Amino acid sequence: MYRNGNDYERMARLVIDIYIDYNITSFPVDEKELCKKLGLKLVPYSAYPEETQELLRKRSPDAFYSPATHDTPPTIFYNDKVESYGRQRYSIFHEIKHYVNNDTEESEFNDDMANYFSRYIMCPIPYLIKANINDELTLITDHGASGDAAENAIKNVRNRRATYGDKIFDYEQPLIDLLFPDTSKEECL
């Protein structure tokens, strides 16, 4: 479904703010470390007996977010036996978006934005441009991206380059400064 470009930019800005606010200087982002920094409990399905795991997989085959209650912290339950590590990471980041945005209702819009958030935090476009990453395989093998996130990110890089070249937008510059501290701004523009 088509979404307004401003919605996607808002998610990109949110990801960049998270990188900066939590001083994430390594790439790829460690999803478990980010959960700790955000105060999110992360629980694999395998922590439960098989019959409970089956119920969790019925709720979601990948992951789900459970808001805090009086007795429990905000928690992401995730399937640690999914097809790939990249898919597992993607699912956790998807749920992080629901937590960060305090999504209280399930909707197609919230899920679309969570999908974009997840792809962007795994494969931020300005990082890919600056690091000159142009292929899905590098994102999958070296950066722990899921196949779908890698494919989407490379398409976005190609589309962006076709329109803007290697330009880094003003709101993206702080991310480049954080991840490439020894690079001058002139090299990025």
Side-chain angles (χ1 to χ4, degrees):
M1 170 173 274
Y2 173 78
R3 300 284 181 210
N4 185 314
N6 292 332
D7 294 328
Y8 294 116
E9 183 179 321
R10 204 169 67 252
M11 286 299 101
R13 287 177 182 267
L14 177 60
V15 167
I16 291 167
D17 286 346
I18 288 171
Y19 269 91
I20 292 167
D21 291 349
Y22 293 94
N23 196 34
I24 299 169
T25 58
S26 61
F27 192 83
V29 176
D30 182 329
E31 69 281 2
K32 293 173 181 161
E33 185 62 32
L34 180 58
C35 284
K36 283 181 195 173
K37 288 180 177 185
L38 291 169
L40 275 163
K41 186 175 179 182
L42 193 56
V43 180
Y45 289 3
S46 66
Y48 296 96
E50 185 54 45
E51 53 276 358
T52 304
Q53 289 181 49
E54 189 174 318
L55 293 172
L56 294 170
R57 285 189 299 272
K58 282 183 181 178
R59 167 96 188 255
S60 172
D62 297 310
F64 63 92
Y65 162 65
S66 179
T69 66
H70 178 67
D71 299 327
T72 61
T75 304
I76 293 175
F77 296 90
Y78 70 99
N79 187 348
D80 52 330
K81 296 179 183 173
V82 291
E83 62 195 52
S84 74
Y85 176 62
R87 180 67 190 177
Q88 180 180 307
R89 294 180 73 239
Y90 179 90
S91 299
I92 292 169
F93 288 129
H94 177 104
E95 299 307 324
I96 287 173
K97 182 273 182 192
H98 290 310
Y99 167 72
V100 171
N101 271 64
N102 198 27
D103 293 340
T104 55
E105 64 181 58
E106 289 189 30
S107 71
E108 186 178 348
F109 177 79
N110 284 341
D111 270 348
D112 286 350
M113 291 299 102
N115 288 338
Y116 185 80
F117 175 94
S118 184
R119 288 189 304 262
Y120 199 91
I121 203 163
M122 292 175 80
C123 310
I125 303 306
Y127 173 86
L128 301 180
I129 289 170
K130 180 67 182 153
N132 201 29
I133 297 173
N134 298 304
D135 65 287
E136 293 96 348
L137 189 57
T138 298
L139 290 174
I140 294 166
T141 58
D142 296 350
H143 300 293
S146 68
D148 289 342
E151 181 180 348
N152 184 276
I154 295 304
K155 283 181 185 175
N156 286 340
V157 167
R158 289 179 184 142
N159 290 338
R160 170 113 161 231
R161 281 190 166 132
T163 305
Y164 300 104
D166 285 347
K167 180 180 181 188
I168 301 299
F169 300 132
D170 289 343
Y171 73 89
E172 298 170 326
Q173 189 61 49
L175 179 65
I176 295 300
D177 294 343
L178 181 69
L179 296 176
F180 298 93
D182 298 330
T183 304
S184 71
K185 289 184 182 183
E186 292 86 38
E187 293 176 33
C188 296
L189 297 176

